[in-house]
Amino acid sequence: ESKFGFESISTSDVLRQKIRELKLEPNRENMNKYGVKFRKLYGPGFLVSEALKKAEKKRILITGLRSPAEVDILHQAGGKLIEVFSDIDTRWQRLYERGRAGDFANFEEFKELEKRESFNSNPNFPSTKEVAEKSDYLINNDSSLDELRNRTDEIIIGLLDK
């Protein structure tokens, strides 16, 4: 829970739970495979719909939106999208520092995945550039964690005052 009383739900956590229900390991391969499969079966906004159903509070924070249809469902529910972005070198360095770079063989493989997920005309596949284009707010996260928190707080306070 955040300092503003938001319940936090990750679409990745929703997907991991669904994969575990199938008695499978929620590794990168299965996350990609079943993310697409569930979107094909239940609609491209499935993970956000499931996150909304799972929410127990009125104020929720959903992270990990990957498709434009997920943004549409968020907006239909009255939500706002805050797109937090940083350059690819910064993202790679942060993955490495968190011990998550091991998900990839090397930086080139990471860049290839980023490229594949940046745009896709098939609504069941990630299209992060289209998600960013539909965002209500943009935050450049190439600086410090404190700066990110300050900028996020400004946006949330502005939304809560409306």
Side-chain angles (χ1 to χ4, degrees):
E1 186 171 308
S2 76
K3 67 180 173 184
F4 295 105
F6 284 83
E7 175 184 3
S8 182
I9 303 171
S10 162
T11 58
S12 294
D13 288 344
V14 170
L15 181 56
R16 281 184 197 92
Q17 178 184 347
K18 296 289 182 190
I19 291 170
R20 284 187 190 106
E21 288 170 8
L22 297 172
K23 308 286 189 236
L24 297 170
E25 181 67 29
N27 55 33
R28 176 162 288 286
E29 181 181 342
N30 283 337
M31 294 283 286
N32 288 332
K33 176 181 176 182
Y34 284 92
V36 171
K37 188 175 247 185
F38 289 138
R39 286 182 185 104
K40 283 181 180 176
L41 285 171
Y42 306 113
F46 172 70
L47 294 174
V48 168
S49 294
E50 289 297 299
L52 289 168
K53 287 181 205 170
K54 186 177 174 178
E56 296 175 2
K57 293 187 166 200
K58 184 178 178 187
R59 289 184 179 171
I60 59 172
L61 170 71
I62 301 175
T63 61
L65 280 71
R66 312 294 284 168
S67 79
E70 292 174 339
V71 180
D72 293 342
I73 288 172
L74 176 74
H75 283 149
Q76 289 165 11
K80 300 292 184 192
L81 177 63
I82 302 172
E83 170 73 15
V84 179
F85 65 94
S86 59
D87 68 62
I88 194 162
D89 293 316
T90 302
R91 288 195 310 278
W92 174 254
Q93 183 63 36
R94 289 175 178 161
L95 278 173
Y96 184 79
E97 288 169 1
R98 290 194 320 247
R100 299 279 312 273
D103 289 350
F104 305 95
N106 54 44
F107 182 57
E108 293 306 314
E109 184 181 300
F110 173 70
K111 285 196 307 190
E112 181 56 37
L113 176 68
E114 291 282 310
K115 182 179 174 185
R116 265 195 327 268
E117 290 188 348
S118 69
F119 178 77
N120 199 309
S121 60
N122 184 328
N124 299 311
F125 288 84
S127 189
T128 56
K129 282 194 190 241
E130 288 182 282
V131 168
E133 289 169 3
K134 288 179 167 258
S135 67
D136 301 290
Y137 302 91
L138 294 170
I139 299 176
N140 184 330
N141 186 23
D142 284 335
S143 60
S144 71
L145 184 56
D146 284 339
E147 188 155 330
L148 171 64
R149 286 182 177 139
N150 290 338
R151 182 67 186 117
T152 305
D153 287 356
E154 286 173 21
I155 292 170
I156 292 172
I157 289 167
L159 288 169
L160 294 176
D161 285 344
K162 290 183 179 179

